Amino acid sequence: MMSVTQRHADELIQGARELGVELSEPQQQQLLAYLGLLIKWNKAYNLTAVRDPDEMVSRHLLDSLSVVPFVAERGDNWLDVGSGGGMPGIPLAIMFPERRFTLLDSNGKKTRFLVQVKLELKLDNLEVVHSRVEAYRPERPFDGISSRAFSSLQDFSDWTRHLGNADTQWLAMKGVHPDDELQALPADFRLSATHVLRVPGCQGQRHLLILRRSV
């Protein structure tokens, strides 16, 4: 069975440094422990199409860490929609232990995995919700809502509209710049900013689109 090696640790530390993200020793250990769980559970639960642990470092861990600067500047209460195997929610919860992260997914296998990660990594700032996003009704709006390859921008906006307000930032992590999806953005949403993400080890394009509600 493939496991986490020193090479993966070196790749994580170097990649994070290139992103301008400094990892403490406990954060390194938690991220690598998460990678180990992802490798182990992926065989039975099909959490990600990426099978190679080397690829998982860049395409999952470093890709998630690439949005750290944008989360850093915004609020204490975050929702990760369609979290799947926990990206970017779990790495962000590791990086920001003082903030609250809710990871939502409608797939029961995936939420069982997320609960296991929460328990094993002792992530007290993490809540896992097994629900369809349209049916989820939290007590208060979120400061930030993230998604990574979850849906079109139109669906992301429509399905999560009730979970935020005019102060909320929506962070959509995309591959190529989604010009067509932006054309279909609902009238009450606007594009606040676009950032090109340069993720070490990732060959394809990566973009972060930040959306705001206009009302």
Side-chain angles (χ1 to χ4, degrees):
M1 179 175 129
M2 299 184 86
S3 59
V4 177
T5 66
Q6 184 60 45
R7 187 177 76 252
H8 299 131
D10 294 342
E11 188 181 343
L12 171 64
I13 294 163
Q14 177 60 31
R17 194 168 290 137
E18 288 178 36
L19 289 168
V21 176
E22 284 299 323
L23 302 176
S24 68
E25 184 65 31
Q27 286 169 336
Q28 291 173 31
Q29 295 308 317
Q30 281 187 306
L31 287 166
L32 292 170
Y34 167 51
L35 176 63
L37 289 170
L38 197 57
I39 294 167
K40 177 182 174 184
W41 283 60
N42 199 39
K43 292 175 173 59
Y45 276 48
N46 197 27
L47 301 166
T48 167
V50 180
R51 300 288 177 189
D52 181 351
D54 290 344
E55 276 193 77
M56 285 184 181
V57 174
S58 59
R59 291 177 61 181
H60 291 331
L61 297 187
L62 295 177
D63 192 48
S64 297
L65 294 178
S66 70
V67 299
V68 161
F70 309 100
V71 173
E73 62 191 29
R74 193 79 205 169
D76 294 330
N77 189 27
W78 280 81
L79 173 68
D80 187 27
V81 176
S83 193
M87 288 77 70
I90 286 173
L92 292 177
I94 290 170
M95 295 305 299
F96 298 101
E98 73 286 358
R99 301 186 184 190
R100 298 287 309 167
F101 289 87
T102 300
L103 275 55
L104 182 144
D105 204 281
S106 61
N107 183 306
K109 280 187 176 181
K110 290 176 178 176
T111 53
R112 281 197 288 280
F113 168 71
L114 296 175
V115 168
Q116 190 65 27
V117 173
K118 171 186 165 72
L119 294 173
E120 292 205 27
L121 270 55
K122 298 180 172 57
L123 296 174
D124 296 333
N125 62 332
L126 192 71
E127 180 184 2
V128 177
V129 175
H130 177 213
S131 172
R132 292 184 61 83
V133 63
E134 307 94 309
Y136 179 48
R137 293 291 185 273
E139 291 181 7
R140 59 193 174 101
F142 288 95
D143 299 317
I145 300 174
S146 65
S147 81
R148 180 178 180 264
F150 167 59
S151 65
S152 70
L153 292 177
Q154 180 180 10
D155 287 345
F156 178 42
S157 305
D158 281 337
W159 294 343
T160 61
R161 178 183 282 105
H162 66 289
L163 300 173
N165 57 26
D167 295 325
T168 304
Q169 281 196 350
W170 279 258
L171 270 57
M173 299 174 69
K174 293 283 185 178
V176 296
H177 195 269
D179 296 304
D180 292 348
E181 292 183 22
L182 282 169
Q183 297 297 320
L185 206 60
D188 58 332
F189 277 81
R190 62 181 171 83
L191 179 64
S192 174
T194 303
H195 299 278
V196 177
L197 302 175
R198 305 199 185 284
V199 181
C202 278
Q203 302 304 315
Q205 294 184 44
R206 302 294 296 145
H207 288 85
L208 174 67
L209 280 71
I210 301 178
L211 309 177
R212 301 291 292 267
R213 259 180 70 185
S214 53
V215 291

